[in-house]
Structure formats: structure tokens, C-alpha cells
Amino acid sequence: MTQNSGQPLPQPPVAKKVRTVRTHHGDSFEDNYEWLRAKESADVVEHLKAENDYQEAVTAHQEPLREALFQEIKGRTLETDLSVPNRKDGWWYYSRSVEGKEYGIHCRVRAQDSGDRVADWTPPAVEAGVEIAGEEILLDGNVEAEGQPFFAVGGAATTIDGNLFAFAVDNAGDERFTLRIRDLRTGELLPDVIENVFYGIAFSPDGTRVFYTVVDDAWRPHQVKAHVLGTPVSDDEVIYQEDDVAMWLGFDLSADRRHLVLGIGCSEFSETRLLRFDAPGAGLQTVISRDERILYEAEPFLLDTGAGTDAGTPQERILLTHNKDAINSMVSLLDPAELAKPLAEQHWATVVAHSDDIRVNGAGVTSTHLILSVRQDTIERVQVMPLAGLGTPAQGPIVEPVFEEVLYTAGVAGSDYEAPVIRMGYTSYFTPSRVYDFVLPTADQPAGVLLLRKESPVLGGYEPSDYVATREWAVAVDGTRIPLSVLRHASVAQDSTAAGLVYGYGSYELSMDPGFGIPRLSLLDRGVVFVIAHIRGGGELGRHWYDDGKKLQKKNTFTDFLAATDWLAGSGWVDPARIAAMGGSAGGLLMGAIANLAPEKYAAIVAAVPFVDALTTILDPELPLSALEWEEWGNPITDADVYAYMKSYTPYENVRAVAYPKIAAVTSFNDTRVLYVEPAKWVQRLRELTTGNEPIVMKIEMDGGHGGASGRYVQWRERAWDYAFVADSLGATELLPGAGLK
């Protein structure tokens, strides 16, 4: 890659070497760049700015392409738009976006009740750019962000009576939020201000308390606290504190808002504790102890069992989604009285039996139905069944909304306990996001009714038929078939000349589900064949797919990605010399690993907020989130085998003297999940050892967090930067004939 002027590239910044030796299990590793961790050091900040200067010089010739990509993203996006109103209690809530403004505006209008339940839950007709009579603005992100380097909302909640609105704002990008409360009757902020809260806010049903989460020094949520409005924050009650450094803590309200539900756990086992709002003096009740090593979620609710003397009187029950003797999880129904017995003696009624082919992701309730989220054949689906007869032989049928496409994603986007409908989101690779209301089945409508409320408009003459998405399969080194989603412009010929990009993640049981993306169209319009590799470590094919790509099986994630690359190289679509790779966070670790394993397979690699110094991080439990990573990678502090296995693949330790391709590491100074120091060290070591001449750059957002900078226009430019780097590296900068904005 050379500048348009033909002048040689500037020299990259060279960090000084300060020898540090890390020794564990009798093994020593010399690290010359650990000093870059000193975030407050003027030398570190100066070095990072020099990295940005170098990156800007190296990629300056890409600026016209970046601007073209940005304009294409902007030109396809309806900038003045609004969400479909969602009813909660007596109000319809929605958000607006306005052309030229970075952030959303959160609004509401009062709902009306006519007695026709479906009509009362039909959202009002709202128009982009048109104010509705009675509209109230709850939060204008553009006003809140004024004069701030960063802006993000970490949670919001409204009291049942609709009078108070709580919201949490981050102005640094470090995901530590300030919670404030607005009286919506007057528009004034209450004096209550709570600093350094984590994601998630909820009011008590009576509106007198607000619940929030606090992180510890390692950025692990470890306390759930309650603030009584009008009292000093110093008096806030600690509802629960989790001291196990390997466990994550969160909370929610039960669907019927009768309980505060505390979720404590890791990816392998969990514990739920319940607090009844009508009996707070009873304290927290543990559903299943973590000592049983069961991974589960619990939802307390009232069920009309229709039996005996209790017929017609709803009884307390607990819905369990769990993996007890069920690797893909199942759903059971439990009488709370059973909790007094030893686990082996408890009776759990089966609601949804275990299946080797169907992964149960979760279950919830409305006042009339059970709502299931399941994954089958890589696709996430929503299913419902009536509560009547639940857990008995008289249990009702499972009903699933039917969609026409094969590769799609459908999920519950919100539901109210009393509503006769559930709100659903739907998307596919080339179907823009849709919002549906699914009218829950009744005797008159046993299949339910799917009502389309909105399809997000795409401007610029977008035609779904211009693009093709297919499911293909690569074969891993151990013979495992790896599902691929292959996306391309319909005019691309299968003549082995196109450019290709392989994207992957493969960690934490997260699935790369089908979804529409306007920025991606700009790559497809330039003839890039885009492959999403559904590799092990993700959750696309059930729990075993995840288990086979974690801890001492982690290398399967990397070799699966290489197999996906080999499939693309031999598919007949692309020139094998024109393939790039992209991934972020744990997918950035993947990028570092495949760069070391097979640098010759790639013309370019983009690693976003990359977890490339994973072993150093996890060996230090004082660093943010380190202890929580043991469940994913193993504990290299106590286990010599885990240490040796990790050291054999972690990117930073395994940089070697080979010719690396063009590499871009993209990061943020205030990221608390993957610290900027990881890519900063990695690029130094890459430049030190590479035998090739391709540039290795680091782009660092000095005011951003794990998701980059805030503001939609800024984020569009960041995506344009990533894609321009790829397209330029692959020689895919020109639009295909007839492609692009119309």
C-alpha cells in the first residue's frame, strides 16, 4: 500500500523497550511493551497520538473512498425516523431520530383504553417529522450530549404511574453511568444523583425506590442497591453483594413486577435469588444454589392450576429454564414449596423437554402465555404456548409465527405482562428490520395473528433482489461441518476473480445471527463476497457448539475460521489472493490467532478492540473482568495445562518472524472491556518481527469506549474507515456496473 503521490510511507512509531518478565508455572515470558499500560503517562498518550498520526498518513489515500462509503450509508438511511410505539402501562413510548442530529429523542404519548384489548394495544399512527398531539419528550440525547466528548444511555425506567423517569448517562465511554431522575409532571430533575452505576435501572412498583447495579474495582457488577428517593445516596441499601470474583451479578423485575429477580452466575452455572415486593421483610429466597452447578434462569409468576380446592385461585409457581440433565436446556415448572426439599427429591414438571437438535435460550410469561426463545438449525425462533394446563398432560400446543425466508432472525422485542400481543423484531441479511405484533393465540385464532407494524425504509433505490444469501458448509480439520452465510451481489460471476471478506467471532456462545446492515451493502456493491463463519465457540448449533470452542478446545475456533477461508478460496467466487478477515473483541483475538497461524491466506486483517493480549490480562485478576474470563478460557493462574494451552495460541505471545499482511487494529482509549494497551502492544510486536513490508496500523479513538465513538454519524464514519481499509487492500474500490445508490 503506497500513497497516491508515490512517496514512500512514513516510518511507524517505535515504542521504547522496557524489559518486564512474566513468570508462571516455571515459564518466563519477556514483555518489552507492558509499560504502555500506564494510561496516565504522558509518554503513553504521546505514543498513542503518534500511532494515530501514522495511521492517518498511511491511509490518507483512502479518504475519498471513506467519504464515498459514508455518503452511501447516509444516502440509504432515513435520517428523520421514529420507532414503533411500545405500550407500557398507560403510555406509548417511542424514539425519534432527526436528520443532522447524532442522537435519538425519547418520547411518549398517553394510551387510551376502549375495552377492545387488541385495539388498545395497536400502536398509534405516528409519522417521521410530525409531532403528535400530547407528545412528551422524556430525554433528548442531543441536548444531553451537548458539550460532552461522548454520550451513551445505559438504562432508563419509568414508574408505573408514569410520573418519574430515571436514566443513566455515560460521558466518557468507560461504561460507568450517572443516574438521574426527572419528574415528568414538571420536567425538573430531582436532586437525587447517583454516580458510577452500571447498566440496568428499575423502579419498585410503588415508585419510591430505584434499583441499580455497582461494579467493583475489576469492573465486575457485584452489588445491587436500592435508593429511596429523597434520601442521601450514602444511605442506599445494598440488596445483595456478590463476593465471588468469577461470578456476574444482575437484576430485573419479574414479568408481573411482583419480585425483584437477582441473577448471579457465569456461563457454566448460576443462582437466582428472589425478593418479594409484598413481603420485603422475608429477605432473599434462593431458588437453586450455585453449589448444584446448574445453569438456569427462574421466572416467578401466578398460575391458575385449575385443580382441586385451588381452582380459580392463581398459585405461585416458578418457571425454570435449565440444563439439569439437558445440555441444550429445557423448561420445567416448579412449586416453590419444593425448594424446601433436597434437589434430588424435588418434583419438576416438564414443560419443554430436552432436544439434541433444539437449544432453549430462555422462557418468559405474559398473563396468558409462555414465551419461548429457541434456536434450531442455527436460526433463532419465537414460540408460544398457553399457560392453561402448563406442566400437565393437558398442556396446550406450541405455536410459532411463520416467516417466508430460510435465513432470518426473529426475537421478542418487548412485551407487557397484561398485553394480548408480543412485540417482535425480525430481520434477515437483505430484509431491513421489521417490527411485528404477534396477537397471541386464542380459541378463535389458534395460530395467532402476525401483524406487520413497520419495515425500516432503505433509501437510494435499494432492491433486495440485487443481492443473494446462501448457506454453505466448510469442513474443519477434524471433519466437523461449519455453517457459513455467504452474501454477494447478484451480478458477481463465479469466475475466481472477486474479492472476499471472512468475518467471525466464535466465543461466549454468541451467535452471529442473520441481520440487515446498510454499511455492508457498500462492500457487496464493490463485488466483495462477504462470508460470515459460524465457528465453534459460538452458539449457532447448540450448547455443544460452544463447549467445543472454549477452554482446552479453543483452537477449534481458529481452525474453523481457516477452514471457512479455505472454502471461500476454493469456492470459485474469489481470487484466493484477494481475501481479507475481520473480527472484533474476542473476534479480535481470533484475528490475531489466524494472523499467526496462516498469514499467507489473507491480504488484510481488521481487528476491532482486539483481545490479543489475553494471557497477560487473565493472569492478573485485578484487571477489569479478568476473573470472569476463567469460565471461557480456563484459569491459567492455577492450572498449568491451561496456561500452556493459552500460551500456545494467544496472539501477542505467538507473533513470529513471518510476512504478515496489512493489519489494522482499531481501539478506544476508554474501553474497559478490552484495554487499549492490548492492541498497542500487539502492533509493536508485529512490526518488530514481521519479515514483510505491509503496513501495520493502529487507529485509536481517544474519546470512545468498547463500541467506539458515540453518535450515529461518527459511527458511520468509523464503519466507513474499516470497510475502506478492506476494500482498498483488496483492490475492490470501484462499484460494480449498476450497483450503488440509485
Side-chain angles (χ1 to χ4, degrees):
M1 188 194 305
T2 57
Q3 296 165 297
N4 286 345
S5 64
Q7 296 299 312
L9 292 173
Q11 292 302 303
V14 178
K16 65 184 177 181
K17 292 185 177 181
V18 179
R19 186 173 183 270
T20 302
V21 178
R22 185 191 72 205
T23 301
H24 289 270
H25 304 291
D27 175 76
S28 294
F29 174 72
E30 183 176 305
D31 187 348
N32 292 320
Y33 303 113
E34 179 62 13
W35 69 272
L36 289 168
R37 191 176 300 278
K39 186 176 182 181
E40 304 303 322
S41 163
D43 288 347
V44 170
V45 173
E46 182 180 352
H47 174 77
L48 297 177
K49 290 180 177 178
E51 286 283 10
N52 259 350
D53 291 342
Y54 172 68
Q55 168 269 125
E56 289 172 2
V58 167
T59 66
H61 68 284
Q62 296 171 11
E63 177 55 33
L65 177 58
R66 291 197 289 259
E67 182 62 25
L69 295 175
F70 172 77
Q71 293 299 336
E72 289 167 21
I73 296 169
K74 189 171 180 285
R76 286 188 167 110
T77 303
L78 184 63
E79 296 179 67
T80 298
D81 200 6
L82 72 169
S83 65
V84 178
N86 187 49
R87 180 165 178 173
K88 193 71 176 175
D89 301 313
W91 297 84
W92 289 100
Y93 294 88
Y94 55 98
S95 62
R96 292 184 178 275
S97 60
V98 177
E99 183 174 357
K101 294 190 176 183
E102 295 276 11
Y103 301 100
I105 303 169
H106 302 273
C107 311
R108 72 175 183 179
V109 292
R110 190 173 292 278
Q112 304 298 323
D113 290 317
S114 67
D116 182 331
R117 282 175 50 75
V118 174
D120 291 343
W121 287 85
T122 298
V126 291
E127 295 182 48
V130 179
E131 188 172 314
I132 307 172
E135 179 178 275
E136 298 181 12
I137 294 178
L138 308 178
L139 181 71
D140 186 335
N142 304 287
V143 174
E144 298 292 332
E146 191 171 343
Q148 300 291 344
F150 183 92
F151 174 78
V153 177
T158 311
T159 51
I160 291 176
D161 62 16
N163 290 336
L164 300 178
F165 175 70
F167 60 99
V169 168
D170 170 17
N171 289 131
D174 59 2
E175 297 179 88
R176 286 176 169 84
F177 300 87
T178 299
L179 189 158
R180 293 182 173 85
I181 301 165
R182 176 171 286 127
D183 188 328
L184 297 176
R185 294 163 294 190
T186 64
E188 299 297 319
L189 290 173
L190 301 187
D192 309 68
V193 177
I194 308 173
E195 302 285 356
N196 294 317
V197 307
F198 191 58
Y199 292 100
I201 301 171
F203 279 107
S204 60
D206 64 6
T208 62
R209 293 182 292 169
V210 63
F211 299 97
Y212 61 95
T213 310
V214 177
V215 296
D216 62 14
D217 291 340
W219 201 74
R220 176 186 66 94
H222 76 129
Q223 288 182 335
V224 171
K225 302 180 79 171
H227 172 71
V228 177
L229 302 188
T231 67
V233 173
S234 58
D235 293 344
D236 287 1
E237 177 188 3
V238 177
I239 300 294
Y240 178 76
Q241 177 170 313
E242 177 54 51
D243 293 324
D244 187 335
V245 297
M247 300 292 273
W248 189 278
L249 173 65
F251 75 90
D252 208 341
L253 302 186
S254 60
D256 59 12
R257 294 187 285 205
R258 296 169 49 251
H259 291 80
L260 184 71
V261 182
L262 302 181
I264 309 150
C266 60
S267 67
E268 298 181 342
F269 56 89
S270 58
E271 181 175 279
T272 299
R273 300 192 182 197
L274 306 175
L275 179 69
R276 286 187 58 166
F277 288 122
D278 62 355
L284 294 170
Q285 177 190 31
T286 300
V287 179
I288 303 168
S289 168
R290 71 189 71 183
D291 296 336
E292 302 293 350
R293 292 301 193 262
I294 295 173
L295 185 64
Y296 73 98
E297 294 178 350
E299 176 71 31
F301 69 110
L302 294 174
L303 176 67
D304 185 354
T305 60
T309 58
D310 295 326
T313 303
Q315 302 297 305
E316 191 79 37
R317 291 293 183 266
I318 299 176
L319 193 71
L320 291 178
T321 306
H322 64 91
N323 71 345
K324 182 177 180 289
D325 302 319
I327 187 172
N328 273 338
S329 294
M330 60 184 291
V331 182
S332 300
L333 191 64
L334 173 66
D335 184 332
E338 295 290 312
L339 298 177
K341 305 175 184 177
L343 182 66
E345 298 176 15
Q346 293 177 15
H347 172 67
W348 297 7
T350 296
V351 175
V352 178
H354 176 258
S355 167
D356 289 331
D357 300 320
I358 300 175
R359 173 76 162 109
V360 178
N361 292 325
V365 295
T366 70
S367 61
T368 59
H369 283 76
L370 170 71
I371 314 297
L372 286 169
S373 170
V374 302
R375 185 178 297 279
Q376 185 175 10
D377 300 327
T378 78
I379 301 301
E380 189 170 3
R381 308 162 188 268
V382 175
Q383 299 175 339
V384 302
M385 59 193 305
L387 293 185
L390 201 68
T392 73
Q395 181 171 287
I398 290 179
V399 175
E400 180 177 319
V402 177
F403 301 98
E404 295 179 356
E405 295 179 279
V406 175
L407 300 179
Y408 67 89
T409 301
V412 176
S415 63
D416 188 273
Y417 183 68
E418 298 295 341
V421 303
I422 58 172
R423 176 64 52 83
M424 293 183 62
Y426 175 92
T427 185
S428 74
Y429 288 119
F430 299 120
T431 299
S433 296
R434 291 176 177 173
V435 175
Y436 287 97
D437 277 340
F438 182 60
V439 181
L440 293 166
T442 62
D444 295 334
Q445 297 279 359
V449 180
L450 197 60
L451 302 173
L452 177 63
R453 298 304 191 192
K454 180 179 181 178
E455 178 173 301
S456 296
V458 181
L459 308 181
Y462 171 70
E463 290 290 344
S465 59
D466 289 342
Y467 307 92
V468 178
T470 63
R471 168 54 44 82
E472 309 292 347
W473 299 83
V475 179
V477 289
D478 62 1
T480 301
R481 298 177 74 234
I482 312 300
L484 312 174
S485 295
V486 180
L487 318 179
R488 58 181 172 83
H489 195 280
S491 66
V492 172
Q494 196 170 5
D495 60 3
S496 299
T497 64
L501 174 62
V502 188
Y503 177 87
Y505 186 76
S507 292
Y508 303 105
E509 203 180 357
L510 293 179
S511 298
M512 299 296 101
D513 290 323
F516 184 76
I518 283 178
R520 189 172 57 217
L521 298 177
S522 292
L523 278 185
L524 301 179
D525 284 349
R526 286 167 173 79
V528 177
V529 177
F530 197 117
V531 175
I532 299 164
H534 304 286
I535 50 185
R536 281 175 284 187
E540 285 89 343
L541 290 176
R543 179 72 181 193
H544 76 89
W545 200 248
Y546 170 49
D547 289 339
D548 288 348
K550 65 184 292 194
K551 291 188 174 178
L552 297 180
Q553 304 293 323
K554 188 61 200 173
K555 290 182 183 179
N556 286 335
T557 301
F558 315 138
T559 53
D560 286 0
F561 190 88
L562 295 179
T565 303
D566 290 342
W567 178 90
L568 180 59
S571 67
W573 290 108
V574 307
D575 177 348
R578 300 180 70 202
I579 296 177
M582 179 181 284
S585 197
L589 183 151
L590 168 66
M591 294 299 99
I594 59 104
N596 290 333
L597 289 170
E600 72 283 356
K601 294 183 187 292
Y602 303 98
I605 294 173
V606 176
V609 289
F611 192 33
V612 284
D613 194 20
L615 189 52
T616 301
T617 296
I618 298 173
L619 284 168
D620 186 353
E622 299 301 316
L623 290 177
L625 302 180
S626 289
L628 293 170
E629 298 291 346
W630 296 338
E631 67 193 72
E632 182 74 17
W633 317 93
N635 186 344
I637 299 174
T638 60
D639 191 323
D641 291 338
V642 169
Y643 174 88
Y645 187 75
M646 288 192 69
K647 193 182 178 190
S648 73
Y649 71 73
T650 42
Y652 186 60
E653 287 82 357
N654 289 282
V655 174
R656 55 197 179 98
V658 293
Y660 284 93
K662 298 179 181 71
I663 292 178
V666 182
T667 188
S668 296
F669 190 53
N670 291 323
D671 191 344
T672 49
R673 295 173 184 252
V674 179
L675 300 182
Y676 73 88
V677 67
E678 299 205 18
K681 291 169 59 176
W682 181 52
V683 297
Q684 285 299 311
R685 193 162 169 82
L686 284 167
R687 292 187 195 132
E688 181 183 353
L689 293 178
T690 184
T691 61
N693 298 314
E694 298 292 0
I696 295 166
V697 302
M698 184 172 79
K699 176 178 179 289
I700 181 166
E701 172 56 59
M702 298 302 288
D703 292 318
H706 192 63
S710 63
R712 57 176 177 166
Y713 296 103
V714 177
Q715 291 178 343
W716 293 349
R717 289 198 181 277
E718 289 194 339
R719 183 53 56 88
W721 192 98
D722 296 342
Y723 282 177
F725 186 89
V726 168
D728 178 69
S729 300
L730 299 179
T733 61
E734 300 299 323
L735 290 166
L736 297 172
L741 296 178
K742 305 294 193 296

